[in-house]
């Protein structure tokens, strides 16, 4: 079986690593690579790839956004392409949200190329890639990490805020009211035990939440 692949990540080194891993597999052919959401969507229109591999955090486009919003957009507009998400995110609620949005698999960037190969084999077979150990880790994490208590919507608000977006910007990007975004931000702060915006940003930076 031969499948075309489009890859996207805003870090050139990561892109090169993904491409190198894919090009060793005779079943796969990389037909394009992008470093921002707009370029990714343009490639999807141009090539209609069998598989798209994209970073979860990939800033660069206010209209398309990134994170769950971009994942949902890609799956809604390119339903015939299987989607594999690469991420540093370990929050079990967010990982679950990616699968609910329709992702065919989620692979941690800190994993090795063997896991990427397993995930791609699953997608080629039209299966969902979700290893047993990941499911176990998600269940275990719920009681271990403060961020596990965040809802997917709260996590998205936090991620954008930590990346320098104002509450108004976030409301526009996520198509929510300013009041709703503000409420979600306050709720997230309460769950994380932070009292000020500075404490919140410091927590996010110290936890490497949004790399």
């Amino acid at each position: 079986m031969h499948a075309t692949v489009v890859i996207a990540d805003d870090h050139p080194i990561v892109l090169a690593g993904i491409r190198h891993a894919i090009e060793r597999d005779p079943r796969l052919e990389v037909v394009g690579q992008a470093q921002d959401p707009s370029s990714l969507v343009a490639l999807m229109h141009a090539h209609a790839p069998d598989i798209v591999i994209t970073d979860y955090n990939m800033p660069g486009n206010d209209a398309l956004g990134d994170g769950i919003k971009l994942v949902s957009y890609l799956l809604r507009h390119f339903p015939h392409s299987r989607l594999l998400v690469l991420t540093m995110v370990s929050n079990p609620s967010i990982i679950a949200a990616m699968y609910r949005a329709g992702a065919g698999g989620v692979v941690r960037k800190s994993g090795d190329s063997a896991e990427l190969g397993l995930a791609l084999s699953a997608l080629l077979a039209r299966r969902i890639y979700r290893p047993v150990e990941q499911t176990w880790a998600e269940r275990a994490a719920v009681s271990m990490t403060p961020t596990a208590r965040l809802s997917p919507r709260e996590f998205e608000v936090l991620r954008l805020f930590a990346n320098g977006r104002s509450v108004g910007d976030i409301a526009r990007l996520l198509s929510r009211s300013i009041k709703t975004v503000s409420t979600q931000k306050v709720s997230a702060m309460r769950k994380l035990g932070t009292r000020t915006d500075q404490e919140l940003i410091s927590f996010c930076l110290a936890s490497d939440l949004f790399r």
Side-chain angles (χ1 to χ4, degrees):
M1 179 180 181
H2 179 268
T4 55
V5 183
V6 164
I7 57 178
D9 196 289
D10 59 329
H11 295 93
I13 293 177
V14 175
L15 268 181
I18 299 169
R19 184 165 198 138
H20 177 71
I22 292 174
E23 287 178 341
R24 291 182 296 174
D25 191 328
R27 301 172 298 173
L28 305 170
E29 176 190 2
V30 178
V31 294
Q33 61 184 56
Q35 290 184 249
D36 60 74
S38 293
S39 299
L40 172 57
V41 169
L43 287 172
M44 297 292 289
H45 281 295
H47 298 286
D50 299 302
I51 296 173
V52 55
I53 303 173
T54 182
D55 188 9
Y56 182 76
N57 294 335
M58 192 168 56
N61 186 285
D62 284 353
L64 291 170
D66 66 337
I68 292 296
K69 183 175 182 180
L70 179 61
V71 168
S72 298
Y73 179 93
L74 292 172
L75 290 165
R76 187 168 63 252
H77 288 83
F78 307 99
H80 299 297
S81 296
R82 301 283 281 166
L83 187 144
L84 180 63
V85 180
L86 292 180
T87 182
M88 290 297 294
V89 172
S90 59
N91 183 286
S93 297
I94 305 306
I95 292 174
M98 294 181 210
Y99 282 106
R100 285 198 302 272
V106 179
V107 173
R108 292 292 306 278
K109 284 188 177 181
S110 56
D112 57 28
S113 58
E115 184 181 12
L116 178 60
L118 289 172
L120 288 169
S121 291
L123 266 62
L124 284 170
R126 309 298 294 180
R127 292 187 288 104
I128 301 294
Y129 176 73
R130 187 167 187 148
V132 173
E133 57 268 26
Q134 181 188 66
T135 305
W136 177 87
E138 287 176 17
R139 288 199 302 265
V142 170
S143 61
M144 294 172 59
T145 61
T147 55
R149 295 194 293 271
L150 299 176
S151 72
R153 286 176 177 264
E154 290 168 349
F155 193 92
E156 284 289 279
V157 167
L158 226 62
R159 185 176 66 84
L160 291 167
F161 181 76
N163 284 326
R165 302 284 189 175
S166 68
V167 169
D169 290 336
I170 297 169
R172 186 179 69 256
L173 285 168
L174 300 180
S175 300
R176 301 174 197 166
S177 70
I178 291 177
K179 181 179 179 180
T180 296
V181 169
S182 180
T183 298
Q184 290 165 342
K185 175 174 168 282
V186 170
S187 176
M189 291 175 69
R190 184 176 63 254
K191 291 178 181 179
L192 296 178
T194 57
R195 296 166 296 177
T196 65
D197 287 353
Q198 187 57 50
E199 285 184 6
L200 179 60
I201 292 172
S202 295
F203 178 92
C204 293
L205 293 174
S207 303
D208 282 334
L209 283 182
F210 307 117
R211 285 193 299 168

